Every structure is written in C-alpha cells, then in structure tokens.
Amino acid sequence: MTLHPIELIRKKRNGGKLTRDEMESLIRGYLHGEMTDYQMSAFLMAVYFQKMDFEEITALTDVMLRSGEIVDLSSIPGVKVDKHSTGGVGDKVSLILAPMVAACGVPVPMISGRSLGHTGGTLDKLESIPGFRTNLSLNEYKAAIEEVGVVMIGQTAEIAPADKKLYALRDVTGTVESIPLIAGSIMSKKLAEGIDALVLDVKTGHGAFMQSEEKAIELAQTLIAVGRQFGKRTIGFLTDMNQPLGCAVGNWLEVVECIHCLHGEDVPDLMEVTYALGGAMVMLGGKARTIEEGITLCRRAVHTGQAWEKFIQLVERQGGDTSFLETSGKYPRNKFIIEVKSSSVGDIDNIDALEVGYISLMLGAGRTKVDDVIDPKAGIVFSKKVGDSVNVGDTIATLHTDRTDMLEPATHRLQRAISIATEPSVLPPLIHAVVDEEGIHPWHQ
Ligand code: URA
C-alpha cells in the first residue's frame, strides 16, 4: 500500500475528495490485509457522514468491480438483463420474475444475496428447495445461462470480492445505509456478472433501507448514472415497502406463494411489481418496444404455463428436487402453526414491514449473525393485508415456527405491528415512480 490508510481516513473524515489512485490503494490494501478491519470501519463511517461525489462513486465501483473477475457472456446470444432489489420483507419477486422473463426470450443471469438484517434474501429462499445449489462455479453459471436461459446463484469468490468483504463489515458497523456504499456494492456485483442492462427495484418506506422517498430517489438516480457511466442501460422502479410484499414472509412459505403465482394465481401487490419489473426487463432485452408491451408478454408467459416450465427447468438444472414444487404438501411443517386473530372491527391500515421482518427472524426465518442456521419452514403468512376489513376473531396471519419460547412474544409483537382503523383506509400507491436516464416519471398501469 503506497498511501497511508490513516491519511486517507483523515482526508475523508474532513470532507475531502479521494482520487481514483487513493480509492484503489484503500480497497486493494484492505483486500490484501494491509489495512485492518478497524481502519476500514473508520473509513466507512467517514464515508457515511461525508458522502462521496459522483466521480468518487464511479471510482469506488470500478475498483470493486476490478477486484475480481468480470464475466464475459458475449458468446451467448441476446441482451442479458438482470434485476436487483435494494431489499425488503416478503420480497420474493426474483423467483417469479427470472423464469418469467427468460420464458419471454430474454436471458437472465442473476447473482443474488442472502437475508440481511430484517430483509429476506433470494438465495435463502432458493435453498429452501431441497437440493437446490446456489454455489455454481462460473463455468457452471455460464453453461446454465446458455442452456436454460436463466441462472440464479450467489456471489462467488471471483465476483467483486472487495464487495463481499466490505459488505460483511458494513453489516456489523452500522454503515449499510449509505448511498455511495450501496451504489458501489450493487453496481460492482451487477457489472461483474456479464449483463447488458439492469432493472432496479428501489424500495421505499418503513421496511426499506432507504425509508424516505427522497433518499430512495437519490439512490435510484445514483445507480442509474453509474450504470450509464459503465455503458449499461438501467431503469429503476420506486416501490412501496411499508407493508410486506405479497402474503408470505419466510423462505419456503415464499416459495409456495411463488408456485401459486407461477400457476396464474393473482397476489395483486406482488404481481403488480413483478409484471412492471418484468415488462421493463423484456423491453431492455429487445423483445418489446415499451414496458407495457413487455408486461403483456410477461402475463402471457405466466398464463400459458411457460414461466412455470422455465422455473422447473431452472430448479432441475441447479439440482433442486422438483417433486416438492409439484406437491408442496410433501414439505415438512413446523411444530407450531398459530393463528393471530383480530381483536377489533375495522379496516387494516398498516402492517409494519420492518417489525414483520424482525418477527420472522424471531421465528427462525432469518439470521441475526452470519453463521445462524435458518429454519426454511418458518415465517408468517398473512390472510389479510392493508385495506382489508376485519371482524373480531378473524385470522389476520399465521405464524410458523419450531421455537416454542418465541410463540407468545412473536404473537404480541405482531398484534402491535398491525393497526386497524374504524375509518376506511387509503391504500398507498405500490409503484411510486419510474426513474431512467431522462428523469423521474409517474407510473400508470
Ligand atoms: N444490496 C447490496 O448488494 N448492497 C448494499 O449495499 C445494499 C443492498
């Protein structure tokens, strides 16, 4: 390491701007063990408070991207498009979206993450399918995308290793919620996986990392500008994360909900977001002229059963036992399946997504430490959502867990997380806006 880390930490702490060489020196130094975790933690906290300008963000992204391999998928025909969500509760969109878009003829190479904090992770959901392998080698990854048209794996040691190491540190140092750090993290991984274009689902609301709409827009615009800098067309959707998306929260429970949706069942909020993102991916993939036309193709892929067939092919290709998908009742059940009932009459006007995320952790559906073992069966299934009317004694949700000690506290906490009003509740818009290189546009469907 040529430049001393302490000088660079001080420079950022005092609001200075780092050059590309300085950024490279820091990130490479950290990756090669010349900078300690405590020094990097101090640097990350300095970035959290002092931020970075756009030049620094692109330099950070580029250095992180080049810390590993950049996959070349140019020999595979078609415009390769991926989607990334900034993280939410009940966000199982990728499991329906990836096979659906692939069924429309757009190759989808997807590298996803694990559950983080109160939010779920696509990899944990996929791994709840017995036998499903998310740890394919890069050669297996390329072969799967070539043969099936869709692949869903976790970050390998070769893809943006600097992000992998930095992410783990950010998670335990209170430095996740920083726009420059999120942008560098997401875009370095996405640019390394060999995509041509990207669709972003930037969550906003109480259950999102960026809770205010203003911050979510800033994040979306930053991600889109970084995408453009690296020659990748990027479109962002700002979507609501005040209540959980869909009805299920918890890994296998969410897979079951996806099976129903892939068979054409309508879970309105989940499918509205899935179709909007899918329409944009199909458009970016060159199979439709507009997002709306892309949505029509996506709906057709679901209703003709092609999206389901593609999902089965994907699961088979990655070693999963599809008999559990065909007969979901074959899956083991939790020892305790408890109904949470309404104690008043009215309309549900809030289900606090952040709280629901934490309650599902208590039930065993997520991790509080990196090495925690997840119970894939555990979680919550809502039978009512915001806007639904309830009477005394109606079931609002069902808790699934093996943890007897958590039953009472989880039930009480969930009752407090749900509010029921006597006035009819106003449903907040689900998709707040679409953001592209030209600006922020209202979303009408
Ligand atoms: N998702 C990522 O991959 N990185 C972040 O920093 C936040 C969400």
Side-chain angles (χ1 to χ4, degrees):
M1 189 157 179
T2 43
L3 297 156
H4 204 286
I6 299 170
E7 289 166 50
L8 299 178
I9 296 167
R10 277 206 199 103
K11 185 171 178 184
K12 187 38 80 185
R13 183 200 66 192
N14 295 339
K17 172 173 172 164
L18 263 58
T19 65
R20 189 193 141 112
D21 284 352
E22 288 171 338
M23 202 79 78
E24 177 141 21
S25 161
L26 269 176
I27 301 294
R28 289 206 181 276
Y30 181 56
L31 206 52
H32 298 135
E34 294 153 23
M35 184 178 183
T36 61
D37 277 349
Y38 52 79
Q39 286 174 317
M40 184 48 89
S41 305
F43 176 73
L44 294 171
M45 194 54 87
V47 174
Y48 179 90
F49 283 110
Q50 294 293 356
K51 307 184 173 50
M52 282 182 170
D53 73 9
F54 186 64
E55 226 177 304
E56 288 177 293
I57 296 174
T58 44
L60 173 69
T61 307
D62 194 46
V63 171
M64 284 171 47
L65 166 67
R66 289 174 201 287
S67 70
E69 209 173 302
I70 303 173
V71 183
D72 181 5
L73 297 179
S74 59
S75 62
I76 299 168
V79 181
K80 273 74 65 185
V81 189
D82 190 10
K83 167 267 196 185
H84 187 86
S85 157
T86 56
V89 179
D91 182 0
K92 70 248 342 143
V93 165
S94 293
L95 273 69
I96 309 167
L97 180 77
M100 178 183 80
V101 171
C104 296
V106 176
V108 183
M110 191 175 272
I111 297 187
S112 305
R114 296 201 175 276
S115 72
L116 174 75
H118 67 283
T119 66
T122 299
L123 294 184
D124 301 313
K125 301 180 213 282
L126 288 169
E127 285 176 358
S128 74
I129 303 170
F132 194 100
R133 285 178 57 220
T134 58
N135 61 345
L136 304 190
S137 68
L138 282 185
N139 283 338
E140 290 174 308
Y141 164 81
K142 285 191 210 168
I145 183 81
E146 197 155 10
E147 286 159 33
V148 185
V150 53
V151 62
M152 299 177 83
I153 65 164
Q155 194 176 358
T156 69
E158 299 102 319
I159 298 269
D163 173 58
K164 206 169 182 179
K165 196 165 176 201
L166 279 175
Y167 200 96
L169 192 63
R170 286 170 56 212
D171 197 20
V172 292
T173 54
T175 49
V176 171
E177 302 90 340
S178 150
I179 288 178
L181 298 177
I182 294 178
S185 164
I186 292 178
M187 295 310 282
S188 62
K189 281 193 288 266
K190 294 288 142 183
L191 294 166
E193 67 186 20
I195 49 161
D196 301 305
L198 179 63
V199 172
L200 298 161
D201 183 2
V202 180
K203 301 286 187 198
T204 175
H206 200 222
F209 286 125
M210 291 293 132
Q211 294 191 342
S212 77
E213 176 143 345
E214 194 194 347
K215 282 277 166 209
I217 289 179
E218 189 186 335
L219 175 60
Q221 288 178 317
T222 307
L223 292 165
I224 288 163
V226 174
R228 179 159 70 177
Q229 192 76 15
F230 286 87
K232 312 287 174 195
R233 266 186 87 190
T234 308
I235 294 181
F237 285 78
L238 230 68
T239 71
D240 189 75
M241 189 32 72
N242 282 300
Q243 68 166 331
L245 193 60
C247 297
V249 180
N251 299 291
W252 174 252
L253 298 171
E254 294 190 41
V255 172
V256 173
E257 189 169 25
C258 293
I259 295 173
H260 292 155
C261 291
L262 282 163
H263 278 105
E265 202 172 285
D266 191 23
V267 177
D269 59 345
L270 173 59
M271 290 314 288
E272 186 181 338
V273 173
T274 305
Y275 283 133
L277 298 171
M281 288 174 78
V282 171
M283 193 228 359
L284 288 176
K287 300 287 178 190
R289 278 165 303 168
T290 59
I291 297 180
E292 288 71 21
E293 205 178 292
I295 292 176
T296 304
L297 295 179
C298 288
R299 286 187 190 278
R300 194 175 303 153
V302 170
H303 291 115
T304 55
Q306 287 166 313
W308 169 250
E309 263 170 49
K310 195 51 88 182
F311 184 58
I312 292 287
Q313 283 172 25
L314 159 83
V315 173
E316 263 169 5
R317 187 70 173 71
Q318 297 193 219
D321 183 344
T322 53
S323 70
F324 285 91
L325 306 179
E326 308 278 4
T327 322
S328 59
K330 185 174 160 185
Y331 207 76
R333 283 158 68 86
N334 280 114
K335 285 194 203 128
F336 306 102
I337 299 178
I338 304 288
E339 291 180 347
V340 177
K341 294 182 187 284
S342 171
S343 53
S344 52
V345 181
D347 278 8
I348 299 195
D349 78 341
N350 188 35
I351 300 176
D352 183 336
L354 181 65
E355 268 298 282
V356 170
Y358 285 124
I359 298 162
S360 67
L361 287 185
M362 291 167 74
L363 299 172
R367 296 182 188 81
T368 46
K369 297 192 294 313
V370 189
D371 52 358
D372 277 354
V373 178
I374 281 185
D375 174 1
K377 313 179 291 310
I380 308 171
V381 180
F382 287 89
S383 8
K384 304 280 181 193
K385 300 262 323 226
V386 172
D388 287 343
S389 304
V390 284
N391 281 311
V392 176
D394 283 354
T395 302
I396 299 181
T398 311
L399 307 182
H400 296 241
T401 189
D402 283 344
R403 297 185 177 171
T404 174
D405 55 325
M406 287 300 159
L407 279 175
E408 243 188 74
T411 304
H412 285 136
R413 208 164 155 180
L414 188 60
Q415 274 161 339
R416 281 197 304 272
I418 299 167
S419 55
I420 298 170
T422 44
E423 313 273 294
S425 55
V426 183
L427 272 182
L430 183 61
I431 300 178
H432 295 217
V434 187
V435 189
D436 62 15
E437 290 171 12
E438 269 121 47
I440 305 163
H441 315 282
W443 173 251
H444 308 287
Q445 252 291 294

